PDB file of all heavy atoms in Angstrom:
ATOM      1  N   VAL B 246      17.823  40.677 -73.903  1.00  0.00           N
ATOM      2  CA  VAL B 246      17.595  39.158 -73.966  1.00  0.00           C
ATOM      3  C   VAL B 246      16.813  38.821 -72.770  1.00  0.00           C
ATOM      4  O   VAL B 246      15.924  37.963 -72.855  1.00  0.00           O
ATOM      5  CB  VAL B 246      18.803  38.304 -74.113  1.00  0.00           C
ATOM      6  CG1 VAL B 246      18.595  36.926 -74.050  1.00  0.00           C
ATOM      7  CG2 VAL B 246      19.544  38.730 -75.505  1.00  0.00           C
ATOM      8  N   ALA B 247      17.123  39.432 -71.622  1.00  0.00           N
ATOM      9  CA  ALA B 247      16.383  39.171 -70.384  1.00  0.00           C
ATOM     10  C   ALA B 247      14.882  39.493 -70.591  1.00  0.00           C
ATOM     11  O   ALA B 247      14.071  38.695 -70.142  1.00  0.00           O
ATOM     12  CB  ALA B 247      16.958  39.898 -69.170  1.00  0.00           C
ATOM     13  N   GLY B 248      14.578  40.506 -71.129  1.00  0.00           N
ATOM     14  CA  GLY B 248      13.190  40.928 -71.427  1.00  0.00           C
ATOM     15  C   GLY B 248      12.377  39.861 -72.214  1.00  0.00           C
ATOM     16  O   GLY B 248      11.342  39.359 -71.833  1.00  0.00           O
ATOM     17  N   VAL B 249      12.879  39.466 -73.403  1.00  0.00           N
ATOM     18  CA  VAL B 249      12.186  38.467 -74.188  1.00  0.00           C
ATOM     19  C   VAL B 249      12.119  37.212 -73.446  1.00  0.00           C
ATOM     20  O   VAL B 249      11.071  36.402 -73.649  1.00  0.00           O
ATOM     21  CB  VAL B 249      12.794  38.485 -75.595  1.00  0.00           C
ATOM     22  CG1 VAL B 249      14.105  37.668 -75.549  1.00  0.00           C
ATOM     23  CG2 VAL B 249      11.784  37.836 -76.613  1.00  0.00           C
ATOM     24  N   THR B 250      13.125  36.749 -72.830  1.00  0.00           N
ATOM     25  CA  THR B 250      13.070  35.551 -72.114  1.00  0.00           C
ATOM     26  C   THR B 250      12.044  35.455 -70.909  1.00  0.00           C
ATOM     27  O   THR B 250      11.280  34.541 -70.867  1.00  0.00           O
ATOM     28  CB  THR B 250      14.474  35.195 -71.468  1.00  0.00           C
ATOM     29  OG1 THR B 250      15.547  35.354 -72.462  1.00  0.00           O
ATOM     30  CG2 THR B 250      14.505  33.836 -70.844  1.00  0.00           C
ATOM     31  N   ILE B 251      11.963  36.579 -70.269  1.00  0.00           N
ATOM     32  CA  ILE B 251      10.911  36.655 -69.123  1.00  0.00           C
ATOM     33  C   ILE B 251       9.509  36.547 -69.840  1.00  0.00           C
ATOM     34  O   ILE B 251       8.588  35.962 -69.380  1.00  0.00           O
ATOM     35  CB  ILE B 251      11.050  37.864 -68.301  1.00  0.00           C
ATOM     36  CG1 ILE B 251      12.369  37.852 -67.458  1.00  0.00           C
ATOM     37  CG2 ILE B 251       9.933  38.143 -67.457  1.00  0.00           C
ATOM     38  CD1 ILE B 251      12.731  39.063 -66.791  1.00  0.00           C
ATOM     39  N   GLY B 252       9.384  37.261 -70.974  1.00  0.00           N
ATOM     40  CA  GLY B 252       8.138  37.394 -71.677  1.00  0.00           C
ATOM     41  C   GLY B 252       7.703  35.890 -72.103  1.00  0.00           C
ATOM     42  O   GLY B 252       6.456  35.584 -72.013  1.00  0.00           O
ATOM     43  N   LEU B 253       8.636  35.077 -72.590  1.00  0.00           N
ATOM     44  CA  LEU B 253       8.343  33.809 -73.017  1.00  0.00           C
ATOM     45  C   LEU B 253       8.028  32.822 -71.871  1.00  0.00           C
ATOM     46  O   LEU B 253       7.259  31.857 -72.012  1.00  0.00           O
ATOM     47  CB  LEU B 253       9.559  33.194 -73.762  1.00  0.00           C
ATOM     48  CG  LEU B 253       9.696  33.804 -75.237  1.00  0.00           C
ATOM     49  CD1 LEU B 253      11.096  33.323 -75.752  1.00  0.00           C
ATOM     50  CD2 LEU B 253       8.524  33.372 -76.051  1.00  0.00           C
ATOM     51  N   MET B 254       8.542  33.092 -70.610  1.00  0.00           N
ATOM     52  CA  MET B 254       8.314  32.326 -69.496  1.00  0.00           C
ATOM     53  C   MET B 254       7.003  32.565 -68.756  1.00  0.00           C
ATOM     54  O   MET B 254       6.529  31.796 -67.900  1.00  0.00           O
ATOM     55  CB  MET B 254       9.494  32.339 -68.527  1.00  0.00           C
ATOM     56  CG  MET B 254      10.684  31.670 -69.085  1.00  0.00           C
ATOM     57  SD  MET B 254      12.012  31.590 -67.666  1.00  0.00           S
ATOM     58  CE  MET B 254      13.182  30.468 -68.618  1.00  0.00           C
ATOM     59  N   LEU B 255       6.478  33.850 -68.947  1.00  0.00           N
ATOM     60  CA  LEU B 255       5.168  34.176 -68.293  1.00  0.00           C
ATOM     61  C   LEU B 255       4.119  33.204 -68.732  1.00  0.00           C
ATOM     62  O   LEU B 255       4.047  32.853 -69.881  1.00  0.00           O
ATOM     63  CB  LEU B 255       4.789  35.601 -68.653  1.00  0.00           C
ATOM     64  CG  LEU B 255       5.476  36.690 -67.803  1.00  0.00           C
ATOM     65  CD1 LEU B 255       5.270  38.011 -68.415  1.00  0.00           C
ATOM     66  CD2 LEU B 255       5.050  36.671 -66.331  1.00  0.00           C
ATOM     67  N   ARG B 256       3.249  32.736 -67.774  1.00  0.00           N
ATOM     68  CA  ARG B 256       2.176  31.819 -68.157  1.00  0.00           C
ATOM     69  C   ARG B 256       1.257  32.509 -69.054  1.00  0.00           C
ATOM     70  O   ARG B 256       0.625  33.614 -68.586  1.00  0.00           O
ATOM     71  CB  ARG B 256       1.566  31.270 -66.865  1.00  0.00           C
ATOM     72  CG  ARG B 256       0.490  30.279 -67.120  1.00  0.00           C
ATOM     73  CD  ARG B 256       0.129  29.523 -65.832  1.00  0.00           C
ATOM     74  NE  ARG B 256      -0.146  30.372 -64.774  1.00  0.00           N
ATOM     75  CZ  ARG B 256      -1.364  30.867 -64.524  1.00  0.00           C
ATOM     76  NH1 ARG B 256      -2.292  30.645 -65.319  1.00  0.00           N
ATOM     77  NH2 ARG B 256      -1.563  31.703 -63.518  1.00  0.00           N
ATOM     78  N   GLY B 257       0.936  32.054 -70.251  1.00  0.00           N
ATOM     79  CA  GLY B 257       0.114  32.710 -71.223  1.00  0.00           C
ATOM     80  C   GLY B 257      -1.355  32.263 -71.229  1.00  0.00           C
ATOM     81  O   GLY B 257      -2.262  32.899 -71.790  1.00  0.00           O
ATOM     82  N   LEU B 258      -1.705  31.043 -70.728  1.00  0.00           N
ATOM     83  CA  LEU B 258      -3.043  30.539 -70.737  1.00  0.00           C
ATOM     84  C   LEU B 258      -3.727  30.688 -69.340  1.00  0.00           C
ATOM     85  O   LEU B 258      -3.013  30.571 -68.206  1.00  0.00           O
ATOM     86  CB  LEU B 258      -2.974  28.924 -71.072  1.00  0.00           C
ATOM     87  CG  LEU B 258      -2.418  28.639 -72.426  1.00  0.00           C
ATOM     88  CD1 LEU B 258      -2.407  27.168 -72.633  1.00  0.00           C
ATOM     89  CD2 LEU B 258      -3.119  29.343 -73.631  1.00  0.00           C
ATOM     90  N   ARG B 259      -4.965  31.107 -69.362  1.00  0.00           N
ATOM     91  CA  ARG B 259      -5.666  31.376 -68.192  1.00  0.00           C
ATOM     92  C   ARG B 259      -6.190  30.024 -67.458  1.00  0.00           C
ATOM     93  O   ARG B 259      -6.471  29.006 -68.157  1.00  0.00           O
ATOM     94  CB  ARG B 259      -6.958  32.165 -68.546  1.00  0.00           C
ATOM     95  CG  ARG B 259      -6.746  33.443 -69.288  1.00  0.00           C
ATOM     96  CD  ARG B 259      -8.058  34.047 -69.710  1.00  0.00           C
ATOM     97  NE  ARG B 259      -7.811  35.054 -70.678  1.00  0.00           N
ATOM     98  CZ  ARG B 259      -8.819  35.661 -71.361  1.00  0.00           C
ATOM     99  NH1 ARG B 259     -10.121  35.325 -71.053  1.00  0.00           N
ATOM    100  NH2 ARG B 259      -8.620  36.541 -72.264  1.00  0.00           N
ATOM    101  N   ASP B 260      -6.112  30.090 -66.175  1.00  0.00           N
ATOM    102  CA  ASP B 260      -6.808  29.018 -65.465  1.00  0.00           C
ATOM    103  C   ASP B 260      -8.290  29.234 -65.395  1.00  0.00           C
ATOM    104  O   ASP B 260      -8.676  30.441 -65.680  1.00  0.00           O
ATOM    105  CB  ASP B 260      -6.220  28.997 -63.995  1.00  0.00           C
ATOM    106  CG  ASP B 260      -4.795  28.438 -63.903  1.00  0.00           C
ATOM    107  OD1 ASP B 260      -4.428  27.677 -64.975  1.00  0.00           O
ATOM    108  OD2 ASP B 260      -4.090  28.593 -62.971  1.00  0.00           O
ATOM    109  N   PRO B 261      -9.065  28.343 -65.078  1.00  0.00           N
ATOM    110  CA  PRO B 261     -10.535  28.457 -65.111  1.00  0.00           C
ATOM    111  C   PRO B 261     -11.016  29.609 -64.228  1.00  0.00           C
ATOM    112  O   PRO B 261     -12.007  30.289 -64.709  1.00  0.00           O
ATOM    113  CB  PRO B 261     -11.129  27.083 -64.600  1.00  0.00           C
ATOM    114  CG  PRO B 261     -10.022  26.137 -64.962  1.00  0.00           C
ATOM    115  CD  PRO B 261      -8.765  26.898 -64.833  1.00  0.00           C
ATOM    116  N   GLN B 262     -10.391  29.855 -63.073  1.00  0.00           N
ATOM    117  CA  GLN B 262     -10.890  30.937 -62.222  1.00  0.00           C
ATOM    118  C   GLN B 262     -10.303  32.265 -62.487  1.00  0.00           C
ATOM    119  O   GLN B 262     -10.605  33.261 -61.869  1.00  0.00           O
ATOM    120  CB  GLN B 262     -10.499  30.605 -60.781  1.00  0.00           C
ATOM    121  CG  GLN B 262      -8.997  30.616 -60.426  1.00  0.00           C
ATOM    122  CD  GLN B 262      -8.258  29.414 -60.821  1.00  0.00           C
ATOM    123  OE1 GLN B 262      -8.730  28.529 -61.497  1.00  0.00           O
ATOM    124  NE2 GLN B 262      -6.937  29.335 -60.355  1.00  0.00           N
ATOM    125  N   GLU B 263      -9.444  32.333 -63.531  1.00  0.00           N
ATOM    126  CA  GLU B 263      -8.777  33.610 -63.824  1.00  0.00           C
ATOM    127  C   GLU B 263      -9.437  34.368 -64.951  1.00  0.00           C
ATOM    128  O   GLU B 263      -9.847  33.728 -65.952  1.00  0.00           O
ATOM    129  CB  GLU B 263      -7.301  33.338 -64.233  1.00  0.00           C
ATOM    130  CG  GLU B 263      -6.381  32.950 -63.175  1.00  0.00           C
ATOM    131  CD  GLU B 263      -4.979  32.687 -63.669  1.00  0.00           C
ATOM    132  OE1 GLU B 263      -4.767  32.252 -64.783  1.00  0.00           O
ATOM    133  OE2 GLU B 263      -4.033  32.951 -62.882  1.00  0.00           O
ATOM    134  N   LYS B 264      -9.522  35.609 -64.812  1.00  0.00           N
ATOM    135  CA  LYS B 264     -10.071  36.520 -65.925  1.00  0.00           C
ATOM    136  C   LYS B 264      -8.866  36.779 -66.884  1.00  0.00           C
ATOM    137  O   LYS B 264      -9.182  36.890 -68.110  1.00  0.00           O
ATOM    138  CB  LYS B 264     -10.510  37.818 -65.300  1.00  0.00           C
ATOM    139  CG  LYS B 264     -11.334  38.657 -66.365  1.00  0.00           C
ATOM    140  CD  LYS B 264     -11.793  39.907 -65.680  1.00  0.00           C
ATOM    141  CE  LYS B 264     -12.566  40.741 -66.724  1.00  0.00           C
ATOM    142  NZ  LYS B 264     -13.163  42.020 -66.159  1.00  0.00           N
TER     143      LYS B 264
END
Side-chain angles (χ1 to χ4, degrees):
V246 175
V249 75
T250 307
I251 292 173
L253 287 170
M254 287 190 172
L255 281 167
R256 183 164 54 84
L258 299 178
R259 308 173 193 172
D260 287 339
Q262 72 278 10
E263 290 180 324
K264 187 176 181 181

